[in-house]
Amino acid sequence: METKQPNTSLYRTVWRWHFYAGIIFAPLLIILAVTGSIYLFKPQIEQVLYQNYQEIIPQGEKIPASQQIETVKKLYPDAVVTKYHPGENASRSSEVSITSNNESLTIFIDPYTGKSIGELNDEDKIMDKIEEIHGELMAGTLGDRIVELAACWAVVLIVSGLYLWYPKNKLNLSGVLFPRINKGKNTFRRDLHAVPAFWISAGMLFLIMTGLPWSGFWGSNFQSAATNSGSGYPPSIWTGSAPTSLIKTKDIADVPWAAENLDVPISDIQGFIPLSIDDVVTIANREGMHPSYSINIPQETDGVYTLSAFPPKAQDEATIHIDQYSGAVLADYRYEHYGLIGKIVAWGITLHKGTQFGLINQIISLLICIGIMLVAFSGFYLWWKRKPKKGLGAPKAPPIKNMKFFLFLLIGLGILFPLVGLSLIVVWLIDWLIIKRISAVKKFLNA
């Protein structure tokens, strides 16, 4: 028996927008869910893929970082050393990042023997490829905007889907909280889409909102607003006055989200002999950096050493700038210095990546991703089985005078998510210039 739907303009309007948003953006959501599911298990996957590079047998004392880097310089005499990562524990190799012949390479060093274990071209790292697909579809800025647009429209899908799902008549848990399996195929197909969508809606919204801070447009503006909201960076992170700089920390190093817009200070005593990397390691240990930290090596005479810890748990994050000549800690920015938004985003990111609570975090996020895939595929299946032979089968577009409430809702979402607003203008132009003027297109879209 088919589920009886209320025949109201609002219902049909919501249904129509939900229909088109689903048809257009569901494939992208499937890509994001698949790549996100894989990326959740990055530590375990890389442990298997790169075990021969990363695992070593502890044997006595580690040799100094400077000697490890000298080994790399002898192997790659024309390369520029950009970063040193000492390794999180006694059984982990050190990593030296270099640029050589316009390529970025990671050289793995046994810190006990000083010998090179092997090299990886950063462009060949599988999880970096997965991250690139997840974040920008391997299409640069255009891909980033498309992913952001899909994520923002997913919010519209959630809101409209919940409206369609909410029982309009007598409350009956069947078909609402669990699918009806004895009411016919059409009802089961509908429930197979609507019921799981309800169960994962909160988790899906969480993943969207915790992923958006990384996006190129919404995320950058949100980050700037958070930085310039008046709280700024507290004076306690600076030794002396805060610098005025056109260079942000994200321009020279991979750092936690809250520190990306942190101004980069300069090293004052230019011309003196720079600190050795061993001295910087000593400072890092003295300052209590998380073992996952990396040291970004300055390439300019007024540059600074930038230490960044991007650990599994948000509360262990840290970003430190060090004068390359005096060794003075010029800035020390940690989780406890973050404002409320910075702390929320930091937790959101580590939860999004599945690192904050380890395996249980990974499993819950994986279930949400699987749920997104199920809902997207079941939505397609539902549409395909209901679709007429001619036309898309979209609900009839009601007159615009009956759409006021939904229009206000879309305008609100368009303001909150500017790319949604921009896409709405594009849709309106297409509707005005093409759909309404070409009868065949108008009939096909049921407009």
Side-chain angles (χ1 to χ4, degrees):
M1 178 179 174
E2 187 75 35
T3 304
K4 185 178 180 180
Q5 305 292 7
N7 185 24
T8 64
S9 294
L10 177 60
Y11 187 90
R12 284 186 289 118
T13 301
V14 174
W15 184 6
R16 184 177 176 83
W17 280 88
H18 185 82
F19 174 86
Y20 278 117
I23 291 290
I24 295 171
F25 292 108
L28 290 169
L29 294 179
I30 291 172
I31 293 173
L32 296 180
V34 171
T35 52
S37 300
I38 298 171
Y39 196 80
L40 279 170
F41 295 90
K42 177 183 178 182
Q44 291 89 341
I45 293 173
E46 290 193 332
Q47 175 69 21
V48 173
L49 291 176
Y50 308 131
Q51 184 178 18
N52 292 337
Y53 294 126
Q54 295 179 341
E55 283 192 2
I56 51 159
I57 300 174
Q59 40 188 314
E61 294 292 325
K62 292 183 177 181
I63 65 174
S66 57
Q67 292 185 29
Q68 298 176 43
I69 291 177
E70 282 302 316
T71 298
V72 174
K73 287 181 175 177
K74 289 178 182 176
L75 292 172
Y76 305 87
D78 297 326
V80 175
V81 178
T82 57
K83 188 165 68 175
Y84 173 72
H85 175 63
E88 290 86 342
N89 54 58
S91 301
R92 185 71 182 262
S93 62
S94 304
E95 298 175 18
V96 179
S97 299
I98 64 171
T99 55
S100 178
N101 297 321
N102 296 320
E103 291 183 318
S104 296
L105 306 175
T106 299
I107 317 302
F108 297 87
I109 300 290
D110 185 330
Y112 298 98
T113 65
K115 294 181 179 178
S116 172
I117 300 173
E119 69 167 47
L120 278 176
N121 189 318
D122 291 350
E123 291 189 356
D124 295 335
K125 292 180 179 177
I126 293 176
M127 297 312 296
D128 286 5
K129 293 289 185 187
I130 296 295
E131 184 179 13
E132 195 175 352
I133 297 172
H134 189 73
E136 54 187 41
L137 305 175
M138 300 187 74
T141 301
L142 176 63
D144 173 86
R145 299 297 187 271
I146 293 173
V147 168
E148 181 179 329
L149 188 64
C152 293
W153 269 98
V155 177
V156 178
L157 279 169
I158 292 172
V159 173
S160 57
L162 286 172
Y163 174 83
L164 298 173
W165 160 87
Y166 188 78
K168 306 298 184 296
N169 301 314
K170 182 180 178 182
L171 183 60
N172 188 340
L173 296 183
S174 61
V176 177
L177 298 183
F178 52 87
R180 293 158 290 186
I181 58 176
N182 298 320
K183 298 291 186 181
K185 292 181 180 178
N186 289 339
T187 299
F188 181 68
R189 291 186 192 116
R190 176 267 178 197
D191 289 357
L192 196 61
H193 175 68
V195 174
F198 160 71
W199 282 111
I200 69 158
S201 57
M204 184 177 174
L205 185 62
F206 177 80
L207 290 181
I208 292 169
M209 297 311 298
T210 53
L212 277 176
W214 287 320
S215 61
F217 184 77
W218 191 93
S220 295
N221 285 289
F222 175 68
Q223 190 178 48
S224 297
T227 303
N228 300 323
S229 61
S231 56
Y233 298 103
S236 57
I237 69 168
W238 300 104
T239 299
S241 302
T244 301
S245 173
L246 296 177
I247 301 174
K248 304 301 180 185
T249 302
K250 63 182 176 184
D251 297 330
I252 61 171
D254 291 327
V255 293
W257 184 87
E260 288 185 340
N261 280 336
L262 182 69
D263 286 342
V264 178
I266 61 172
S267 294
D268 281 335
I269 319 174
Q270 295 149 32
F272 281 65
I273 299 174
L275 290 177
S276 72
I277 193 74
D278 302 328
D279 293 329
V280 180
V281 170
T282 301
I283 294 172
N285 294 331
R286 184 193 71 200
E287 299 297 326
M289 291 291 288
H290 188 273
S292 65
Y293 78 93
S294 296
I295 300 171
N296 292 274
I297 300 171
Q299 306 301 319
E300 306 293 337
T301 55
D302 61 352
V304 293
Y305 284 104
T306 298
L307 279 56
S308 170
F310 212 163
K313 296 183 183 298
Q315 57 269 36
D316 294 327
E317 292 180 357
T319 304
I320 291 181
H321 291 299
I322 296 175
D323 188 304
Q324 66 168 308
Y325 303 104
S326 68
V329 176
L330 304 176
D332 186 346
Y333 190 41
R334 313 226 179 190
Y335 174 82
E336 56 264 30
H337 299 121
Y338 297 174
L340 178 61
I341 293 176
K343 287 181 177 177
I344 291 173
V345 172
W347 270 79
I349 287 175
T350 52
L351 286 167
H352 186 104
K353 293 170 64 178
T355 61
Q356 185 68 38
F357 296 111
L359 185 59
I360 186 67
N361 193 164
Q362 291 173 308
I363 291 174
I364 292 174
S365 297
L366 176 64
L367 291 175
I368 296 171
C369 289
I370 292 174
I372 293 171
M373 290 181 248
L374 171 63
V375 169
F377 279 118
S378 62
F380 266 119
Y381 181 63
L382 179 63
W383 165 68
W384 188 257
K385 299 303 287 188
R386 286 181 173 182
K387 181 178 131 4
K389 290 184 179 178
K390 294 183 179 179
L392 278 179
K396 178 70 177 175
I400 195 167
K401 65 180 182 180
N402 297 326
M403 299 168 57
K404 291 180 182 176
F405 174 79
F406 194 67
L407 278 178
F408 282 123
L409 179 62
L410 284 180
I411 291 171
L413 289 170
I415 295 172
L416 185 60
F417 304 110
L419 287 186
V420 170
L422 183 62
S423 63
L424 285 172
I425 294 173
V426 172
V427 169
W428 178 76
L429 287 173
I430 292 174
D431 182 64
W432 183 51
L433 294 174
I434 299 176
I435 297 175
K436 287 185 177 178
R437 299 171 192 271
I438 303 176
S439 58
V441 177
K442 185 176 181 180
K443 183 178 180 182
F444 180 76
L445 297 175
N446 206 17

